Amino acid sequence: MYRFLLSRQWVILTLIVLALIPTMIELGFWQFHRHERRVTQNALIADNLKAKPVPVEELTSPGHTVPRADYWRQVTATGTFDTAHEVVVRRRTNADDKQGVLVLTPLVLRDGSVVLVNRGWVPAAADQRAYPTVPPAPKGEITVTGRLKADETTGASGIKDLKGLPDRQVMLINSEQQAALIGREVLGGYLEQIAPEPAGDTPELIPEPDHDSIGAHMAYAVQWWLFTAGVPVGWVILVRREKRDQEAAAHAEASGSGDGSGDGDGSGGDDGGPSGASGAPAGDSNAIQATPSL
């Protein structure tokens, strides 16, 4: 009764089941690894935010690529803001998901090198080609405390680096690009300013990164593994149902054949004997023939 498993549709269904099982197992591990990375990143952010601020020169230098281990490290930088080379970074949102720009101002350090400082978010101008209203940076020497971040790239951020933008507008925060514009050595990466707070609360400072939530990756992993267990169980249920249906069909066919086996044989019992509507014996015909005619 299991020969139906060799039929075309059952072979295809079985192959699909065999392909789904390892695929869903792998998808479960993919979500599990994302959960692990999120937990690790949250721990890194929390540790770096709690670490004592250090001078920015200790963690980066011109042309340096900030490693992930140093992301969000609190650093200090002392110098003078170069507002002549200030730019805005287009298409960025604030904590309330409002569209605007980031204010990126170079800070010239005492040794003449430069570090980029993201001073925060301001609304974009009504005309996207116009330079928005930006509160002026503090004058004179100032010490800025901020979170160290790596240079933005299209590959890492997914933001397309558009060309032909209006003057003093950029798409990415990138130290190499700004070094070419400023004509000075620029330390790799940039600072997200957290102190001092700006007058009038503008630009809006960038809030701390979320390091409490872990997302639903672990729940998704468990779901995929439950689906993995459910697929073979479902296949067995379908096989047993098909077997039961075929057995019922075979039983019904056998019962139908047995009920009609004697029909059509008993109708000749009365008709097979000698014929005679009057019931006269067969010899009467001879007697009539022997009677002389008048």
Side-chain angles (χ1 to χ4, degrees):
M1 293 303 296
Y2 287 100
R3 282 181 293 180
F4 64 84
L5 291 175
L6 299 178
S7 64
R8 185 170 180 268
Q9 62 267 30
W10 274 100
V11 169
I12 293 174
L13 178 61
T14 302
L15 291 176
I16 292 174
V17 168
L18 293 176
L20 282 176
I21 290 173
T23 300
M24 290 190 293
I25 291 175
E26 184 63 27
L27 287 171
F29 278 110
W30 172 61
Q31 289 290 350
F32 178 71
H33 294 322
R34 293 187 68 186
H35 167 78
E36 288 186 319
R37 287 194 296 270
R38 184 64 177 270
V39 171
T40 301
Q41 176 172 290
N42 286 351
L44 173 66
I45 295 173
D47 291 342
N48 284 354
L49 291 179
K50 290 186 296 185
K52 182 180 178 180
V54 298
V56 67
E57 296 91 343
E58 292 186 13
L59 296 182
T60 185
S61 58
H64 178 72
T65 299
V66 178
R68 192 165 192 84
D70 289 337
Y71 285 14
W72 305 285
R73 279 288 303 272
Q74 295 193 54
V75 295
T76 59
T78 301
T80 305
F81 279 119
D82 178 10
T83 55
H85 293 99
E86 184 176 77
V87 297
V88 294
V89 188
R90 293 163 57 102
R91 299 181 184 177
R92 301 302 174 100
T93 57
N94 65 353
D96 298 323
D97 288 331
K98 293 180 181 178
Q99 191 74 22
V101 298
L102 298 177
V103 181
L104 189 65
T105 311
L107 183 70
V108 182
L109 305 178
R110 290 172 176 172
D111 64 358
S113 61
V114 172
V115 63
L116 301 176
V117 178
N118 175 5
R119 294 202 291 125
W121 178 94
V122 296
D127 180 1
Q128 291 189 3
R129 300 193 65 82
Y131 196 78
T133 302
V134 176
K139 295 181 179 180
E141 189 173 82
I142 186 174
T143 297
V144 176
T145 303
R147 294 181 289 266
L148 183 62
K149 298 290 294 295
D151 286 327
E152 294 180 346
T153 63
T154 297
S157 67
I159 300 172
K160 188 175 181 180
D161 191 13
L162 301 176
K163 304 301 180 182
L165 296 176
D167 188 37
R168 299 176 64 192
Q169 297 190 31
V170 297
M171 297 300 299
L172 299 169
I173 304 177
N174 188 281
S175 61
E176 292 184 358
Q177 290 181 358
Q178 294 306 306
L181 294 174
I182 298 171
R184 289 175 178 263
E185 287 188 332
V186 178
L187 275 60
Y190 65 97
L191 272 62
E192 283 183 349
Q193 182 175 333
I194 58 178
E197 294 187 2
D201 296 329
T202 183
E204 295 180 21
L205 296 181
I206 307 300
E208 282 189 357
D210 176 24
H211 57 280
D212 294 323
S213 64
I214 58 174
H217 301 301
M218 190 63 187
Y220 293 152
V222 173
Q223 286 181 359
W224 279 118
W225 291 331
L226 289 176
F227 292 156
T228 303
V231 166
V233 171
W235 182 85
V236 170
I237 291 174
L238 289 176
V239 169
R240 296 182 66 180
R241 182 180 298 173
E242 181 70 14
K243 177 177 178 291
R244 186 171 61 250
D245 291 345
Q246 291 201 11
E247 287 177 342
H251 180 71
E253 182 179 352
S255 299
S257 300
D259 292 342
S261 59
D263 292 347
D265 295 335
S267 60
D270 295 333
D271 297 335
S275 61
S278 60
D284 288 350
S285 59
N286 294 329
I288 293 173
Q289 292 175 5
T291 303
S293 58
L294 296 179

